[in-house]
Structure formats: structure tokens, C-alpha cells
Short mmCIF file of all heavy atoms in Angstrom, two decimals:
data_model
loop_
_atom_site.label_atom_id
_atom_site.label_comp_id
_atom_site.label_asym_id
_atom_site.label_seq_id
_atom_site.Cartn_x
_atom_site.Cartn_y
_atom_site.Cartn_z
N PRO A 55 0.80 -1.23 0.00
CA PRO A 55 0.00 0.00 0.00
C PRO A 55 0.83 1.28 0.00
O PRO A 55 0.39 2.29 -0.54
CB PRO A 55 -0.83 -0.12 1.29
CG PRO A 55 -0.91 -1.59 1.56
CD PRO A 55 0.40 -2.15 1.09
N ARG A 56 1.99 1.23 0.59
CA ARG A 56 2.80 2.46 0.70
C ARG A 56 3.77 2.64 -0.46
O ARG A 56 4.45 3.66 -0.56
CB ARG A 56 3.55 2.47 2.03
CG ARG A 56 2.62 2.36 3.23
CD ARG A 56 3.32 2.58 4.55
NE ARG A 56 2.46 2.25 5.67
CZ ARG A 56 1.48 3.04 6.12
NH1 ARG A 56 1.24 4.20 5.54
NH2 ARG A 56 0.74 2.67 7.15
N THR A 57 3.86 1.65 -1.34
CA THR A 57 4.83 1.75 -2.44
C THR A 57 4.23 1.60 -3.83
O THR A 57 4.82 2.09 -4.80
CB THR A 57 5.95 0.70 -2.27
OG1 THR A 57 5.36 -0.61 -2.28
CG2 THR A 57 6.70 0.90 -0.97
N LEU A 58 3.11 0.91 -3.97
CA LEU A 58 2.54 0.71 -5.31
C LEU A 58 2.16 2.05 -5.93
O LEU A 58 1.49 2.88 -5.30
CB LEU A 58 1.31 -0.19 -5.24
CG LEU A 58 1.56 -1.69 -5.10
CD1 LEU A 58 0.23 -2.43 -4.98
CD2 LEU A 58 2.36 -2.24 -6.28
N SER A 59 2.56 2.25 -7.15
CA SER A 59 2.25 3.48 -7.88
C SER A 59 2.60 3.26 -9.34
O SER A 59 3.41 2.38 -9.69
CB SER A 59 3.05 4.66 -7.34
OG SER A 59 4.43 4.50 -7.63
N PRO A 60 2.05 4.07 -10.24
CA PRO A 60 2.47 3.99 -11.64
C PRO A 60 3.96 4.25 -11.81
O PRO A 60 4.61 3.65 -12.69
CB PRO A 60 1.62 5.07 -12.32
CG PRO A 60 0.41 5.19 -11.46
CD PRO A 60 0.90 5.00 -10.06
N GLU A 61 4.52 5.13 -10.98
CA GLU A 61 5.94 5.44 -11.08
C GLU A 61 6.80 4.21 -10.75
O GLU A 61 7.82 3.95 -11.41
CB GLU A 61 6.30 6.60 -10.16
CG GLU A 61 5.68 7.93 -10.55
CD GLU A 61 4.19 8.04 -10.24
OE1 GLU A 61 3.70 7.28 -9.37
OE2 GLU A 61 3.51 8.87 -10.88
N LEU A 62 6.40 3.47 -9.71
CA LEU A 62 7.13 2.25 -9.37
C LEU A 62 7.07 1.26 -10.52
O LEU A 62 8.10 0.64 -10.88
CB LEU A 62 6.55 1.62 -8.11
CG LEU A 62 7.10 0.21 -7.79
CD1 LEU A 62 8.60 0.26 -7.52
CD2 LEU A 62 6.36 -0.40 -6.61
N MET A 63 5.91 1.10 -11.13
CA MET A 63 5.79 0.16 -12.23
C MET A 63 6.71 0.53 -13.38
O MET A 63 7.33 -0.34 -14.02
CB MET A 63 4.33 0.09 -12.71
CG MET A 63 3.38 -0.50 -11.68
SD MET A 63 3.84 -2.18 -11.19
CE MET A 63 2.41 -2.66 -10.24
N GLU A 64 6.85 1.81 -13.65
CA GLU A 64 7.75 2.24 -14.72
C GLU A 64 9.20 1.94 -14.37
O GLU A 64 9.98 1.52 -15.24
CB GLU A 64 7.55 3.73 -14.99
CG GLU A 64 6.23 4.05 -15.70
CD GLU A 64 6.03 3.22 -16.95
OE1 GLU A 64 6.96 3.17 -17.78
OE2 GLU A 64 4.94 2.62 -17.10
N ARG A 65 9.58 2.13 -13.11
CA ARG A 65 10.95 1.81 -12.71
C ARG A 65 11.23 0.32 -12.85
O ARG A 65 12.31 -0.09 -13.30
CB ARG A 65 11.21 2.26 -11.27
CG ARG A 65 11.21 3.76 -11.08
CD ARG A 65 11.97 4.18 -9.83
NE ARG A 65 11.50 3.54 -8.62
CZ ARG A 65 10.50 3.99 -7.88
NH1 ARG A 65 9.86 5.10 -8.24
NH2 ARG A 65 10.13 3.37 -6.78
N LEU A 66 10.26 -0.50 -12.49
CA LEU A 66 10.45 -1.94 -12.60
C LEU A 66 10.54 -2.37 -14.06
O LEU A 66 11.35 -3.24 -14.42
CB LEU A 66 9.30 -2.67 -11.90
CG LEU A 66 9.21 -2.50 -10.38
CD1 LEU A 66 7.92 -3.13 -9.85
CD2 LEU A 66 10.42 -3.11 -9.68
N ARG A 67 9.73 -1.77 -14.92
CA ARG A 67 9.78 -2.11 -16.34
C ARG A 67 11.13 -1.74 -16.96
O ARG A 67 11.61 -2.40 -17.88
CB ARG A 67 8.65 -1.42 -17.10
CG ARG A 67 7.27 -2.01 -16.85
CD ARG A 67 6.23 -1.43 -17.80
NE ARG A 67 4.93 -2.06 -17.56
CZ ARG A 67 4.00 -1.56 -16.75
NH1 ARG A 67 4.23 -0.42 -16.11
NH2 ARG A 67 2.85 -2.18 -16.58
N ALA A 68 11.71 -0.66 -16.45
CA ALA A 68 12.98 -0.18 -17.00
C ALA A 68 14.19 -0.92 -16.45
O ALA A 68 15.31 -0.77 -16.98
CB ALA A 68 13.12 1.31 -16.72
N ALA A 69 14.01 -1.74 -15.43
CA ALA A 69 15.14 -2.41 -14.77
C ALA A 69 15.74 -3.49 -15.66
O ALA A 69 15.04 -4.17 -16.43
CB ALA A 69 14.68 -3.02 -13.45
N ASP A 70 17.05 -3.67 -15.54
CA ASP A 70 17.75 -4.76 -16.21
C ASP A 70 17.66 -5.98 -15.29
O ASP A 70 18.49 -6.18 -14.40
CB ASP A 70 19.21 -4.38 -16.45
CG ASP A 70 19.99 -5.49 -17.13
OD1 ASP A 70 19.39 -6.53 -17.49
OD2 ASP A 70 21.23 -5.34 -17.28
N LEU A 71 16.66 -6.80 -15.49
CA LEU A 71 16.42 -7.93 -14.59
C LEU A 71 17.58 -8.92 -14.62
O LEU A 71 17.87 -9.57 -13.61
CB LEU A 71 15.12 -8.64 -14.97
CG LEU A 71 13.82 -7.83 -14.79
CD1 LEU A 71 12.61 -8.67 -15.18
CD2 LEU A 71 13.67 -7.32 -13.37
N SER A 72 18.24 -9.04 -15.73
CA SER A 72 19.34 -10.02 -15.83
C SER A 72 20.49 -9.68 -14.90
O SER A 72 21.32 -10.55 -14.59
CB SER A 72 19.84 -10.09 -17.28
OG SER A 72 20.44 -8.87 -17.67
N ALA A 73 20.56 -8.42 -14.45
CA ALA A 73 21.64 -8.01 -13.54
C ALA A 73 21.27 -8.19 -12.07
O ALA A 73 22.09 -7.92 -11.19
CB ALA A 73 22.01 -6.55 -13.81
N LEU A 74 20.04 -8.63 -11.80
CA LEU A 74 19.56 -8.75 -10.42
C LEU A 74 19.61 -10.20 -9.96
O LEU A 74 19.49 -11.13 -10.77
CB LEU A 74 18.14 -8.21 -10.33
CG LEU A 74 17.99 -6.71 -10.66
CD1 LEU A 74 16.53 -6.30 -10.65
CD2 LEU A 74 18.80 -5.85 -9.70
N PRO A 75 19.76 -10.43 -8.64
CA PRO A 75 19.89 -11.80 -8.12
C PRO A 75 18.63 -12.64 -8.38
O PRO A 75 17.50 -12.13 -8.35
CB PRO A 75 20.10 -11.59 -6.62
CG PRO A 75 20.51 -10.17 -6.45
CD PRO A 75 19.88 -9.41 -7.57
N VAL A 76 18.84 -13.92 -8.62
CA VAL A 76 17.74 -14.88 -8.72
C VAL A 76 17.39 -15.37 -7.32
O VAL A 76 18.27 -15.73 -6.54
CB VAL A 76 18.12 -16.08 -9.61
CG1 VAL A 76 17.01 -17.13 -9.61
CG2 VAL A 76 18.41 -15.61 -11.03
N VAL A 77 16.10 -15.35 -6.99
CA VAL A 77 15.63 -15.86 -5.70
C VAL A 77 15.35 -17.35 -5.87
O VAL A 77 14.59 -17.75 -6.77
CB VAL A 77 14.37 -15.11 -5.23
CG1 VAL A 77 13.85 -15.69 -3.92
CG2 VAL A 77 14.68 -13.62 -5.08
N GLN A 78 15.95 -18.16 -5.01
CA GLN A 78 15.90 -19.61 -5.19
C GLN A 78 14.61 -20.26 -4.70
O GLN A 78 14.31 -21.37 -5.05
CB GLN A 78 17.11 -20.24 -4.48
CG GLN A 78 18.44 -19.82 -5.06
CD GLN A 78 18.59 -20.21 -6.53
OE1 GLN A 78 18.05 -21.20 -6.99
NE2 GLN A 78 19.33 -19.40 -7.28
N GLY A 79 13.86 -19.56 -3.86
CA GLY A 79 12.60 -20.15 -3.41
C GLY A 79 12.33 -19.89 -1.95
O GLY A 79 12.87 -18.96 -1.35
N GLY A 80 11.48 -20.72 -1.36
CA GLY A 80 11.00 -20.51 -0.01
C GLY A 80 9.50 -20.36 -0.05
O GLY A 80 8.84 -20.67 -1.06
N ARG A 81 8.93 -19.89 1.05
CA ARG A 81 7.48 -19.68 1.10
C ARG A 81 7.08 -18.59 0.11
O ARG A 81 7.66 -17.51 0.08
CB ARG A 81 7.03 -19.28 2.50
CG ARG A 81 5.56 -18.86 2.57
CD ARG A 81 5.18 -18.37 3.96
NE ARG A 81 3.79 -17.90 4.01
CZ ARG A 81 3.43 -16.61 3.90
NH1 ARG A 81 4.35 -15.68 3.71
NH2 ARG A 81 2.16 -16.27 3.96
N VAL A 82 6.07 -18.87 -0.69
CA VAL A 82 5.51 -17.86 -1.58
C VAL A 82 4.50 -17.04 -0.78
O VAL A 82 3.49 -17.55 -0.30
CB VAL A 82 4.82 -18.50 -2.80
CG1 VAL A 82 4.22 -17.42 -3.69
CG2 VAL A 82 5.81 -19.35 -3.58
N ALA A 83 4.81 -15.77 -0.60
CA ALA A 83 3.93 -14.85 0.11
C ALA A 83 2.90 -14.27 -0.87
O ALA A 83 3.04 -14.43 -2.09
CB ALA A 83 4.76 -13.73 0.73
N PRO A 84 1.86 -13.60 -0.38
CA PRO A 84 0.99 -12.88 -1.30
C PRO A 84 1.83 -11.89 -2.12
O PRO A 84 2.86 -11.40 -1.63
CB PRO A 84 0.02 -12.15 -0.38
CG PRO A 84 0.09 -12.85 0.93
CD PRO A 84 1.49 -13.39 1.04
N PRO A 85 1.42 -11.57 -3.33
CA PRO A 85 2.28 -10.75 -4.18
C PRO A 85 2.43 -9.29 -3.75
O PRO A 85 3.32 -8.61 -4.23
CB PRO A 85 1.61 -10.85 -5.56
CG PRO A 85 0.23 -11.29 -5.30
CD PRO A 85 0.26 -12.09 -4.05
N THR A 86 1.58 -8.82 -2.86
CA THR A 86 1.76 -7.51 -2.25
C THR A 86 1.55 -7.64 -0.76
O THR A 86 0.92 -8.61 -0.28
CB THR A 86 0.79 -6.45 -2.81
OG1 THR A 86 -0.56 -6.81 -2.46
CG2 THR A 86 0.89 -6.33 -4.32
N ALA A 87 2.06 -6.67 0.01
CA ALA A 87 1.87 -6.68 1.46
C ALA A 87 0.39 -6.53 1.80
O ALA A 87 -0.43 -6.14 0.96
CB ALA A 87 2.67 -5.55 2.08
N GLN A 88 0.05 -6.83 3.05
CA GLN A 88 -1.36 -6.81 3.48
C GLN A 88 -2.00 -5.47 3.12
O GLN A 88 -1.49 -4.41 3.45
CB GLN A 88 -1.45 -7.03 4.99
CG GLN A 88 -2.89 -7.05 5.51
CD GLN A 88 -2.95 -7.46 6.97
OE1 GLN A 88 -2.56 -8.55 7.33
NE2 GLN A 88 -3.44 -6.56 7.81
N PRO A 89 -3.13 -5.51 2.42
CA PRO A 89 -3.79 -4.26 2.00
C PRO A 89 -4.48 -3.56 3.15
O PRO A 89 -4.76 -4.16 4.19
CB PRO A 89 -4.81 -4.75 0.97
CG PRO A 89 -5.12 -6.15 1.37
CD PRO A 89 -3.84 -6.71 1.94
N PHE A 90 -4.75 -2.28 2.95
CA PHE A 90 -5.55 -1.55 3.92
C PHE A 90 -7.00 -2.06 3.91
O PHE A 90 -7.67 -2.05 4.94
CB PHE A 90 -5.54 -0.05 3.61
CG PHE A 90 -4.21 0.62 3.80
CD1 PHE A 90 -3.85 1.69 3.01
CD2 PHE A 90 -3.31 0.18 4.76
CE1 PHE A 90 -2.62 2.32 3.17
CE2 PHE A 90 -2.09 0.79 4.94
CZ PHE A 90 -1.74 1.87 4.14
N ASN A 91 -7.48 -2.47 2.74
CA ASN A 91 -8.87 -2.90 2.59
C ASN A 91 -8.96 -4.11 1.67
O ASN A 91 -8.25 -4.18 0.67
CB ASN A 91 -9.73 -1.79 1.98
CG ASN A 91 -9.77 -0.54 2.82
OD1 ASN A 91 -10.37 -0.51 3.88
ND2 ASN A 91 -9.10 0.52 2.34
#
């Protein structure tokens, strides 16, 4: 809730994912933090 925004989405789209670490696994959490509503 405190970070989702169109601006964040644009930064993520522009990121070079190949340069970022691969996460090997573990518990899959909900895709966003607990919502306000």
C-alpha cells in the first residue's frame, strides 16, 4: 500500500532484470503486502 504506484511500475519495467539476483525459493507470500482494505 505504501509503495505501489504507476511510477514504481515504470521503474520496474525499465530495470535490467538479468543483472539482479535470482531468488531460489521458499514460502511464496501474497504478491503484495497486506492491503488496507
Side-chain angles (χ1 to χ4, degrees):
R56 303 189 190 282
T57 60
L58 282 177
S59 68
E61 293 75 22
L62 171 63
M63 294 301 190
E64 288 308 311
R65 292 202 305 274
L66 294 173
R67 287 190 178 94
D70 179 5
L71 295 181
S72 66
L74 297 175
V76 175
V77 177
Q78 297 299 330
R81 172 184 177 263
V82 179
T86 65
Q88 181 172 299
F90 293 148
N91 299 289

